């Protein structure tokens, strides 16, 4: 198993670029299928989740090449196919192929999706939105099968699921008639998918609100698009500065929406500056605790920053409590932080944190992508050496995390084992 070795304790500071957003790229890859031609994506992150999705798409006849952040896709020869467990099981984003293939071909099938193990992650809402758009969907042992060209309709989401909203958008853009999605997720990545689709000829309004309105068009056209920076990766590197008493200058952050994240950094006492393309975080002399931090859908504090903030608050002065409302079992980081001397406990959906002055090095293991990032943060500020196992989880979403931490002054290296 691949792992990262870190000699902790250095102040982390420096000037680093921000990678493109994973959660924007994955739905846009699915959307490219609707474009029926060449799509060029700039600032595309080279991460395992993107590679897995491209691999799945290759089985459906989509050709792609990704070099130096530029992804070129040719979807003109795409054909409908069944994405088996070895394809769909790898990344959660794969479920979005259902909406895209149904939208283009009126036909899609896939095994139940995979991704990080952070709760039950059912797909009932994905199935519901496709049914609301008048397709015939059956759930079988081998997976989900959809038949029929979608028609416009009213989609009501009882919970603002990011993926289900994206699937509804993907299925509706080339459907006959008007679709109204009520209770839509407002995450910036949903908006980015809609902006990409509009650039390719879709007619979507209400972007960024709970009510998305889509007037179906006959077809989309080839297009070029630049992916926005990743707000969660940004939050992770800003946390590195905050936890180590340093200062990080983050470049390529134009249009990156940090709502919900900045508030928590300000609450711990960090100072943040921003101009059009740069974000700067300067650590406070002493990190303050946060009495109650609640994860919830956008614009609240994002669940994808929860593990990193748990690590940060474990070295803040005082008591903090985190309430995880989005995923029911996302505190895998807690037992690992305990091995590093953190005074953190998990009670159901809560993490109870009493800040300690110092963490110490230990051998720890990531259980999902963000817990892996959180453990790298904790190890970077701990006294002594740590080994963080489960590098494969981290590589799903972070492009060259060790290279970036080295730029910030960390002593870190990776041992890759097949
Ligand atoms: C997306 C993000 C993920 C992020 C999450 C919440 C991608 C590829 N991943 O995941 O990084 O943590 O949003 O911001 O964009 N749910 C159901 N039934 C469904 C769908 C979801 O009950 O059919 C539940 C989930 O189990 C979870 C909650 O809804 O408890 C949120 O899930 P959702 O917003 O759909 O997240 P994802 O799209 O999977």
């Amino acid at each position: 198993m691949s792992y990262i070795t870190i000699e902790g304790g250095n102040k982390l500071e420096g000037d680093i670029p921000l990678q493109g957003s994973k959660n924007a790229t994955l739905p846009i890859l699915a959307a490219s299928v609707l474009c029926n031609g060449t799509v060029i994506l700039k600032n595309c992150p080279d991460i395992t989740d993107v590679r897995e999705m491209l691999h799945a798409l290759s089985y459906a006849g989509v050709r792609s090449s990704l070099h130096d952040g530029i992804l070129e896709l040719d979807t003109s020869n795409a054909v409908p196919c069944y994405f088996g467990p070895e394809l769909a099981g790898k990344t959660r984003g794969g479920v979005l192929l259902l909406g895209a293939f149904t939208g283009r071909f009126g036909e899609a099938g896939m095994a139940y999706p995979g991704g990080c193990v952070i709760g039950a992650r059912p797909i009932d809402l994905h199935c519901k939105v496709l049914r609301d758009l008048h397709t015939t969907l059956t759930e079988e042992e081998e997976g989900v099968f959809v038949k029929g060209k979608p028609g416009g309709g009213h989609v009501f989401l009882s919970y603002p699921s990011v993926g289900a909203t994206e699937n509804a958008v993907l299925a509706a853009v080339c459907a006959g008639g008007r679709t109204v999605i009520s209770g839509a997720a407002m995450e910036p990545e949903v908006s980015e998918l809609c902006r990409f689709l509009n650039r390719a000829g879709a007619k979507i309004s209400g972007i960024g609100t709970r009510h998305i309105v889509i007037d179906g068009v006959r077809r989309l056209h080839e297009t070029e698009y630049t992916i926005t920076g990743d707000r969660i990766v940004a939050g992770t590197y800003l946390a590195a500065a905050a936890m180590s008493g340093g200062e990080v200058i983050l470049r390529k952050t134009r249009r990156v929406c940090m709502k919900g994240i900045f508030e928590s950094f300000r609450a711990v006492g960090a100072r943040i500056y921003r101009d059009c393309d740069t974000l700067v975080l300067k650590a406070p002399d002493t990190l303050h605790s946060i009495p109650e931090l609640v994860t919830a859908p956008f614009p609240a504090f994002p669940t994808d920053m929860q593990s990193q903030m748990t690590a940060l608050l474990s070295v803040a002065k005082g008591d903090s409590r985190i309430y995880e409302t989005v995923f029911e079992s996302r505190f895998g980081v807690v037992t690992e932080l305990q091995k590093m001397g953190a005074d953190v406990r998990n009670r159901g959906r809560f993490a109870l944190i009493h800040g300690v002055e110092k963490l110490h090095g230990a051998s720890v293991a990531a259980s999902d992508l963000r817990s892996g990032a959180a453990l790298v943060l904790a190890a970077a500020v701990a006294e002594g050496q740590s080994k963080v196992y489960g590098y494969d989880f981290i590589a799903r979403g972070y492009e060259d995390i060790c290279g970036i931490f080295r730029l910030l002054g960390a002593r870190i290296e990776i041992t890759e084992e097949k």
Side-chain angles (χ1 to χ4, degrees), residues 146-397:
V146 196
K147 277 243 173 286
K149 269 276 194 191
H154 188 201
V155 175
F156 172 73
L157 283 164
S158 54
Y159 180 89
S161 155
V162 173
T165 303
E166 291 168 343
N167 250 333
V169 170
L170 289 164
V173 278
C174 294
R178 169 172 280 202
T179 296
V180 178
I181 308 173
S182 306
M186 300 196 298
E187 266 67 5
E189 294 79 15
V190 176
S191 303
E192 183 141 10
L193 167 66
C194 294
R195 284 200 299 273
F196 167 84
L197 286 164
N198 276 352
R199 180 175 278 230
K203 289 203 172 119
I204 308 174
S205 55
I207 297 174
T209 74
R210 286 261 177 259
H211 296 274
I212 298 177
V213 179
I214 302 164
D215 285 305
V217 294
R218 277 173 68 84
R219 60 180 64 222
L220 300 182
H221 52 71
E222 301 187 330
T223 194
E224 200 175 296
Y225 187 83
T226 302
I227 306 279
T228 306
D230 193 307
R231 64 192 172 110
I232 304 299
V233 173
T236 305
Y237 294 137
L238 296 181
M243 289 171 75
S244 68
E247 178 172 334
V248 164
I249 302 166
L250 202 51
R251 308 281 180 192
K252 292 172 69 183
T253 53
R254 192 183 306 266
R255 289 200 336 223
V256 177
C257 175
M258 298 298 289
K259 214 168 168 23
I261 300 174
F262 273 175
E263 289 85 334
S264 61
F265 281 123
R266 291 205 178 96
V268 299
R271 276 179 292 161
I272 297 164
Y273 311 92
R274 172 165 217 176
D275 67 23
C276 66
D277 199 36
T278 307
L279 275 176
V280 180
L281 184 141
K282 198 169 166 14
D285 292 335
T286 307
L287 282 174
H288 308 307
S289 58
I290 303 182
E292 179 95 3
L293 184 62
V294 182
T295 71
F298 187 84
F301 179 70
T303 177
D304 285 351
M305 271 301 294
Q306 182 260 104
S307 301
Q308 300 89 310
M309 205 45 90
T310 304
L312 184 152
L313 292 171
S314 73
V315 290
K317 192 171 166 43
D319 292 326
S320 304
R321 191 164 87 143
I322 301 185
Y323 178 25
E324 170 61 61
T325 75
V326 181
F327 290 106
E328 65 278 16
S329 53
R330 200 174 201 182
F331 282 118
V333 75
V334 166
T335 48
E336 304 308 295
L337 287 173
Q338 286 167 351
K339 293 177 190 164
M340 303 176 87
D343 186 352
V344 189
R345 278 167 300 147
N346 170 213
R347 293 281 177 273
R349 283 186 176 243
F350 290 91
L352 310 172
I353 307 160
H354 176 73
V356 295
E357 222 159 83
K358 273 267 165 236
L359 299 175
H360 57 74
S363 277
V364 290
S367 51
D368 65 76
L369 163 59
R370 304 303 170 187
S371 74
L375 292 172
V376 173
L377 287 172
V381 300
E383 248 164 27
Q385 189 184 81
S386 294
K387 282 191 174 16
V388 179
Y389 288 87
Y391 174 71
D392 292 353
F393 284 117
I394 300 172
R396 276 172 176 273

